[in-house]
Amino acid sequence: MLPWFRAARVPRTRSVFAALLLALTLLVAPTATATAAAPSAAAATSRGWNDYSCKPSAAHPRPVVLVHGTFGNSIDNWLVLAPYLVNRGYCVFSLDYGQLPGVPFFHGLGPIDKSAEQLDVFVDKVLASTGAPKADIVGHSQGGMMPNYYLKFLGGAPKVNALIGLAPDNHGTTLLGLTKLLPYFPGVEKFISDKTPGLADQVAGSPFITKLTAGGDTVPGVRYTVIATKYDQVVTPYRTQYLDGPNVRNVLLQDLCPLDLSEHVAIGTIDRIAFHEVANALDPARATPTTCSSVIG
């Protein structure tokens, strides 16, 4: 039990309300930065991704669509992984989704079903530009889970070859048990749902998660990879990230490299060991073992 919760069995003060709300925000914000402005789309193109003149090669015939996490955006989340894939010959694209009015740079906060509709439009744009019949999707956190809605309910499965999730909250999250405290704070749950529906949708047991997981985790014809870390402090318990079904590979980062201490933020933004496993999932025919030395690969 948290120290500030022990102090009052039925806490109703404004300071406690603020503490819970702050904790929820910080725990679910994997890519929020302290900068006043985010890099532009032109900056991404200059680094080799979001280049709509790119045509997939015979070696890598499908474009890769990167889907950021909650509080992320199409640039900041991918400053390491996007160039990593571009340098390996992939056409790489990233989108912004889940924007709220008046909230720049920090996205993924809108209703997740609507965010999936944005992904639908974006994938169509990428396929039309590249001429490829299918794309591969790589997502971090909410960005690894939200595409499941696109696949299951928006007709995305015929357009997608593989979905690779880095610490995806596929079955929602308890935020280290914090969500279980919401009933003790009258009004907080409604406030989060009204103001940041993308956060409310990710709580384990929410109506969105219940709909998403009904009838099974996967759809036919798509390959799924989940890459998790046991040190995840946001999507908890970490094993709830795993999917069940055919064509699924669930990977624990520490089984590949016991020395890897990456938590929820690092696995999706800077961890080259995890990124090596992403590359393996994108091209399993040319996969090489992922080990601690993959950090220099």
Side-chain angles (χ1 to χ4, degrees):
M1 187 175 293
L2 297 174
W4 50 261
F5 186 69
R6 284 200 301 266
R9 291 294 179 180
V10 188
R12 297 180 184 275
T13 67
R14 184 173 301 175
S15 61
V16 172
F17 175 95
L20 179 63
L21 189 58
L22 176 62
L24 280 166
T25 300
L26 292 176
L27 284 172
V28 188
T31 55
T33 68
T35 58
S40 66
T45 304
S46 71
R47 291 179 172 92
W49 90 93
N50 282 339
D51 177 3
Y52 285 90
S53 68
C54 186
K55 300 299 180 184
S57 65
H60 302 301
R62 293 175 299 276
V64 178
V65 173
L66 303 178
V67 188
H68 64 76
T70 308
F71 285 92
N73 60 63
S74 62
I75 308 300
D76 289 341
N77 215 133
W78 308 120
L79 291 173
V80 179
L81 179 57
Y84 179 95
L85 295 176
V86 168
N87 291 339
R88 283 156 177 76
Y90 289 92
C91 292
V92 180
F93 302 87
S94 60
L95 77 155
D96 289 304
Y97 71 87
Q99 301 94 327
L100 291 180
V103 182
F105 313 130
F106 305 121
H107 305 318
L109 298 172
I112 298 180
D113 57 348
K114 300 302 180 183
S115 295
E117 293 176 6
Q118 292 178 273
L119 177 62
D120 186 9
V121 173
F122 189 78
V123 170
D124 284 350
K125 177 182 177 181
V126 168
L127 295 181
S129 171
T130 60
K134 290 188 176 185
D136 291 322
I137 297 177
V138 180
H140 177 215
S141 192
Q142 179 188 165
M145 172 271 286
M146 177 269 280
N148 279 330
Y149 191 95
Y150 164 61
L151 298 177
K152 293 184 75 173
F153 301 109
L154 300 180
K159 307 173 189 177
V160 175
N161 169 70
L163 172 58
I164 302 161
L166 291 156
D169 50 344
N170 285 318
H171 299 94
T173 178
T174 67
L175 286 173
L176 295 173
L178 194 59
T179 58
K180 295 180 181 179
L181 300 180
L182 287 173
Y184 293 93
F185 297 86
V188 175
E189 195 164 7
K190 185 177 187 304
F191 178 87
I192 295 171
S193 181
D194 290 346
K195 301 299 183 181
T196 55
L199 296 183
D201 284 346
Q202 293 178 76
V203 174
S206 71
F208 176 84
I209 292 295
T210 299
K211 178 180 178 179
L212 179 66
T213 56
D217 290 343
T218 65
V219 296
V222 178
R223 289 190 297 106
Y224 297 82
T225 303
V226 173
I227 304 171
T229 171
K230 68 180 181 181
Y231 300 114
D232 200 312
Q233 81 284 31
V234 174
V235 181
T236 59
Y238 76 84
R239 292 184 185 278
T240 61
Q241 299 172 25
Y242 294 160
L243 295 171
D244 183 31
N247 296 321
V248 170
R249 182 166 184 256
N250 295 310
V251 181
L252 183 64
L253 198 57
Q254 285 71 35
D255 287 342
L256 306 176
C257 175
L259 302 178
D260 196 317
L261 301 179
S262 288
E263 37 62 69
H264 187 80
V265 179
I267 192 175
T269 57
I270 61 172
D271 192 322
R272 292 175 70 90
I273 297 173
F275 296 166
H276 186 272
E277 194 62 16
V278 168
N280 281 345
L282 289 171
D283 191 1
R286 298 180 179 87
T288 58
T290 300
T291 67
C292 294
S293 63
S294 298
V295 70
I296 59 174

